[in-house]
């Protein structure tokens, strides 16, 4: 096996073609997973108050160092989830504080592993938390929807393997050794995201095409393929884009880490990390992290099968929501109207809006925290799937912003799904910290009109910050940014593979819709480390005029942009507006623009 970076990337990375060779098996439905929704109250009477707290359900597996046969239980979950890309299984694997020996937790789809201490070092595994790609012939480009959080690892070989693609966060982890981001055999890989983590040794991305690391500390970084972005990372390589392709910011302008479950005196609490400005390094390095916490009794612990009306009743009572693993069908939006509300999912809890409703709506209030769940479009078109703030939201939330973290959106793949716009951000000062908004290019219910979704993320609010923005395959604009003073640190995009012809993507006089468009009225905007790829395999003659579009005004600035044609299946004429060289025929080599704007 090579110990040096590959000299060049594969000519073609086509998920849908590869998927045909290894169809993901659907996981069996879990008996007893759903609980009955609360019954309606008699007419004229107020509904009975819902209790806070309670059991976390059958798909949250909680271990302590004395638990027998931990490895066998981990292996059983992995066997069910390893190739269940569009299955119904959902699991959270939680480890109480202490020291564990000789474990290898292999993670499949919709599986989260986390420690239950206040610090990662409270829960130490002498062993590994492994993601590899044996299920897919050594190709890691479909290793989606899994996560690791709040653990210290002492890898058996000295290096832990974490070969993931999109929607697979690595948060609050302490690796007492190195981290290998490639699959066994160094096959293709397409990820990924690290935040608030300390990796003492070397991180080797090898074949990873892009990666974003935020507010962490690392021993060293081995190589880069197309787009490696760092903000607030101690030990990060120096700024050098495009050779090597490192985009390095000394700090992250604003960050607030994801809420997490922990145990205190035997009971569960949810820790709410404090906001940091100009952040650098981990938030937990000097003992107890800054922030506050809530007891589980302040949460309605939801189980699959509960109605949207019951979830909204819990919110109206002043409870927060903890969504235990499973699938939730919604016949009305979940409405978050109270400041500082927390909606936290475990084990990739999945919201499916029925009959074209919006899955979740947030009011124009301070400090909402949305984290750790998946929104899956239903077969009836939704105008929006996730609405962060109502249209026209105007309040200043700079002191206490809304955060959207590890909230993922999918249109198609698990079955038919449609949505005109996936995520709309109207609230000012919102922080979108790691999302993957994906119109499926493989799976069930996939086709140019079958899973129609015109827009991925639309930002109307001012002063919005995106850290780790992954948006792919939309029929029109993947990102449309209309708000003033927006900022994006790291963007990864693939244009829709399945456009049938040039006419289908024609945008008036412009060939194709930009992956990332800044609105014509915007006077201030900035982005660092943004990439767009095309693979128009249905009609390889399609030409995309540019990957990025923005007003030519002094306050709109971009740093380190790239576009890539994968194997020459379609081409870009420019990088941003009319700037940047065209992509080079069948050669999968990026065309770059290092600086746009003054």
């Amino acid at each position: 096996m090579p110990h040096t970076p590959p000299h060049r990337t594969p000519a073609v990375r086509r998920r849908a073609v590869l998927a045909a060779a290894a169809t993901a098996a659907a996981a069996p439905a879990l008996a007893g997973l759903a609980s009955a929704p609360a019954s309606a109250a008699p007419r004229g009477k107020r509904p009975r108050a819902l209790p806070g707290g309670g059991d976390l359900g059958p798909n949250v597996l909680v271990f302590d160092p004395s638990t027998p046969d931990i490895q066998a239980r981990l292996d059983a979950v992995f066997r069910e989830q390893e190739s269940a890309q569009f299955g119904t299984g959902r699991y959270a694997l939680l480890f109480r504080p202490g020291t564990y020996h000789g474990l290898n937790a292999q993670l499949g789809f919709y599986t989260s592993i986390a420690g239950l201490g206040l610090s990662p070092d409270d829960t130490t595994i002498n062993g590994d938390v492994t993601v590899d790609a044996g299920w897919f012939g050594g190709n890691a480009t479909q290793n989606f929807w899994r996560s690791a959080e709040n653990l210290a690892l002492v890898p058996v070989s000295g290096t832990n393997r974490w070969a993931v693609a999109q929607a697979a966060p690595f948060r609050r982890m302490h690796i007492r050794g190195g981290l290998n981001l490639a699959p066994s055999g160094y096959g293709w890989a397409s990820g990924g995201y690290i935040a608030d983590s300390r990796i003492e040794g070397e991180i080797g991305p090898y074949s990873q095409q892009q990666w974003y690391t935020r507010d962490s500390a690392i021993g060293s970084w081995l190589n880069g393929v197309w787009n490696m972005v760092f903000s607030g990372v101690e030990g990060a390589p120096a700024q050098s884009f495009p050779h090597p392709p490192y985009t390095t910011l000394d700090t992250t302008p604003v960050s607030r880490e994801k809420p997490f479950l922990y145990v205190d005196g035997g009971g569960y609490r949810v820790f709410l990390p404090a906001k940091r400005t100009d952040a650098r390094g981990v938030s937990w390095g000097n003992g107890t992290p800054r922030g506050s916490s809530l007891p589980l009794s302040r949460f309605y612990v939801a189980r699959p099968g509960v109605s949207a009306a019951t979830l909204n009743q819990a919110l109206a009572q002043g409870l927060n929501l903890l969504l235990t693993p499973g699938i939730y069908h919604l016949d009305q939006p979940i409405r978050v109207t109270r400041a500082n509300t927390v909606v936290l999912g475990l084990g990739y809890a999945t919201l499916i809006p029925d009959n074209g409703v919006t899955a979740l709506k947030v009011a124009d209030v301070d400090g909402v925290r949305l984290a750790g769940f998946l929104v899956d479009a239903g077969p009836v078109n939704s105008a929006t799937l996730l609405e962060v703030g109502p249209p026209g939201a105007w309040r200043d939330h700079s002191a206490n912003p809304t955060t959207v973290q590890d909230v993922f959106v999918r249109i198609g793949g698990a079955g038919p799904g449609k949505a005109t716009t996936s995520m709309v951000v109207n609230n000012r000062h919102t922080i979108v910290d790691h999302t993957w908004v994906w119109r499926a290019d493989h799976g069930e219910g996939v086709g140019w009109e079958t899973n129609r979704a015109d827009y991925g993320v639309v930002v109307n609010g001012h002063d919005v910050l995106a850290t780790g923005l992954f948006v792919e395959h939309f029929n029109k604009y993947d990102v449309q940014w209309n708000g003033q003073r927006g900022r994006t640190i790291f963007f990864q995009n693939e244009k829709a593979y399945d456009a049938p012809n040039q006419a289908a993507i024609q945008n008036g006089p412009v060939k194709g819709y930009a992956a990332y468009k800044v609105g014509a009225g915007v006077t201030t905007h900035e982005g660092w480390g943004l990439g767009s790829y095309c693979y128009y395999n249905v009609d390889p003659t399609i030409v995309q005029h540019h990957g990025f579009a923005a007003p030519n005004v002094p306050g709109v600035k971009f740093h380190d942009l790239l576009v890539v044609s994968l194997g020459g299946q379609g081409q870009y004429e420019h990088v941003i507006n009319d700037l940047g060289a065209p992509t080079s025929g069948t050669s999968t080599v990026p065309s770059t623009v290092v600086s746009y704007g003054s």
Side-chain angles (χ1 to χ4, degrees):
M1 293 183 182
H3 296 284
T4 56
H7 292 295
R8 59 187 180 87
T9 56
V12 177
R13 185 187 58 81
R14 172 63 166 120
R15 290 194 187 119
V17 170
L18 298 168
T23 303
L30 296 167
L33 184 61
S35 58
S39 58
R43 194 170 208 173
K45 293 187 178 181
R46 298 181 66 181
R48 181 182 302 170
L50 296 168
D55 184 78
L56 299 181
N59 283 52
V60 177
L61 307 184
V62 182
F63 306 103
D64 64 48
S66 66
T67 302
D69 301 323
I70 296 175
Q71 188 65 55
R73 297 179 72 183
L74 297 176
D75 291 346
V77 172
F78 180 64
R79 281 194 298 272
E80 180 180 331
Q81 298 302 112
E82 180 184 11
S83 59
Q85 182 171 179
F86 298 113
T88 57
R90 305 285 188 274
Y91 287 96
L93 312 173
L94 305 182
F95 287 75
R96 290 180 176 272
T99 302
Y100 300 78
H101 297 280
L103 297 181
N104 181 18
Q106 299 181 82
L107 299 187
F109 287 97
Y110 314 110
T111 305
S112 298
I113 188 170
L116 287 171
L118 259 184
S119 165
D121 290 326
D122 293 339
T123 310
T124 299
I125 293 177
N126 288 295
D128 296 86
V129 172
T130 302
V131 177
D132 207 342
W135 75 278
F136 202 50
N139 179 338
T141 62
Q142 292 184 30
N143 280 349
F144 313 137
W145 304 306
R146 62 202 76 198
S147 67
E149 185 173 356
N150 206 29
L151 292 165
L153 299 181
V154 184
V156 170
S157 69
T159 299
N160 189 77
R161 186 180 301 279
W162 185 255
V164 297
Q166 288 76 6
F170 199 77
R171 290 185 181 269
R172 292 178 59 80
M173 296 290 286
H174 184 186
I175 309 301
R176 297 173 188 162
L179 190 63
N180 184 342
L181 304 179
S184 299
Y186 299 87
W188 296 334
S190 177
Y193 176 89
I194 294 171
D196 201 24
S197 294
R198 182 181 300 278
I199 290 88
E200 294 182 3
E202 180 181 74
I203 299 180
Y206 298 100
S207 53
Q208 285 285 358
Q209 292 153 343
Q210 67 276 319
W211 200 276
Y212 176 49
T213 307
R214 179 182 63 73
D215 299 352
S216 294
I218 66 176
S220 60
W221 188 273
L222 177 62
N223 72 292
V225 177
W226 290 339
N227 191 31
M228 305 287 158
V229 179
F230 309 83
S231 68
V233 178
E234 298 169 357
Q239 169 71 33
S240 58
F241 186 90
H243 304 297
Y246 299 148
T247 299
T248 302
L249 287 73
D250 190 57
T251 61
T252 304
V254 186
S255 61
R256 190 174 69 190
E257 299 303 333
K258 175 179 173 285
F260 61 92
L261 196 67
Y262 74 105
V263 290
D264 180 34
Y268 290 111
R269 298 182 70 89
V270 173
F271 192 79
L272 307 176
K275 187 187 78 168
R276 297 199 289 167
T277 56
D278 296 322
R280 182 172 172 82
V282 300
S283 68
W284 46 269
N286 296 313
T288 304
R290 290 192 304 114
S292 59
S293 72
L294 296 170
L296 195 63
S297 60
R298 296 280 301 277
F299 286 78
Y300 176 69
V301 180
R303 302 278 283 273
V306 71
S307 69
T310 299
L311 297 174
N312 283 325
Q313 180 190 338
L315 291 169
Q317 282 180 212
L319 293 172
N320 304 285
L321 297 182
L322 185 72
L323 305 173
T324 64
I327 295 173
Y328 298 75
H329 281 270
L330 307 173
D331 61 359
Q332 61 179 274
I334 298 171
R335 298 184 183 275
V336 178
T337 61
R338 177 175 47 85
N340 301 310
T341 298
V342 181
V343 179
L344 177 61
L346 300 179
Y348 287 82
T350 301
L351 308 178
I352 301 180
D354 294 329
N355 301 319
V357 303
T358 299
L360 190 149
K361 294 186 175 186
V362 177
D364 191 2
V365 295
D366 270 354
V368 171
R369 303 183 195 228
L370 308 178
F373 56 88
L374 171 65
V375 179
D376 210 353
V380 177
N381 185 74
S382 293
T384 61
L385 293 172
L386 177 63
E387 182 183 274
V388 183
W394 57 272
R395 292 184 172 89
D396 186 319
H397 302 296
S398 56
N400 187 13
T402 286
T403 45
V404 181
Q405 299 175 285
D406 301 347
V407 173
F408 308 116
V409 179
R410 179 173 69 194
I411 301 94
K418 290 186 176 183
T420 303
T421 303
S422 292
M423 181 189 299
V424 179
V425 180
N426 293 317
N427 277 355
R428 292 183 62 191
H429 302 101
T430 298
I431 300 171
V432 179
D433 176 44
H434 190 229
T435 188
W436 184 39
V437 181
W438 184 56
R439 176 181 167 266
D441 63 282
H442 62 271
E444 295 182 14
V446 171
W448 183 249
E449 297 294 344
T450 308
N451 62 329
R452 181 85 193 186
D454 283 350
Y455 306 103
V457 175
V458 175
V459 179
N460 297 316
H462 301 325
D463 308 291
V464 171
L465 171 66
T467 51
L469 186 60
F470 299 73
V471 188
E472 295 187 310
H473 304 310
F474 286 84
N475 295 76
K476 292 185 178 178
Y477 293 121
D478 298 276
V479 172
Q480 183 165 354
W481 204 299
N482 301 317
Q484 298 286 358
R485 297 176 298 280
R487 292 174 291 184
T488 294
I489 304 173
F490 182 88
F491 171 67
Q492 186 264 328
N493 166 262
E494 292 176 356
K495 294 301 300 174
Y497 294 156
D498 55 345
N501 49 50
Q502 186 77 45
I505 65 161
Q506 193 68 17
N507 181 15
V510 180
K511 299 172 186 174
Y513 290 80
Y516 187 110
K517 178 179 172 59
V518 180
V522 174
T523 57
T524 306
H525 187 92
E526 195 159 9
W528 296 263
L530 289 76
S532 176
Y533 323 146
C534 73
Y535 187 85
Y536 289 118
N537 70 307
V538 175
D539 181 358
T541 68
I542 289 175
V543 174
Q544 177 86 20
H545 183 70
H546 47 222
F548 302 90
N552 184 17
V553 297
V556 175
K557 305 174 185 178
F558 285 97
H559 315 274
D560 302 355
L561 298 172
L562 67 96
V563 295
V564 180
S565 169
L566 302 180
Q569 304 293 295
Q571 300 290 341
Y572 292 92
E573 291 181 324
H574 299 285
V575 179
I576 180 168
N577 296 349
D578 297 326
L579 300 176
T583 49
S584 340
T586 59
S587 177
T588 305
V589 175
S591 178
T592 62
V593 167
V594 174
S595 180
Y596 172 85
S598 59

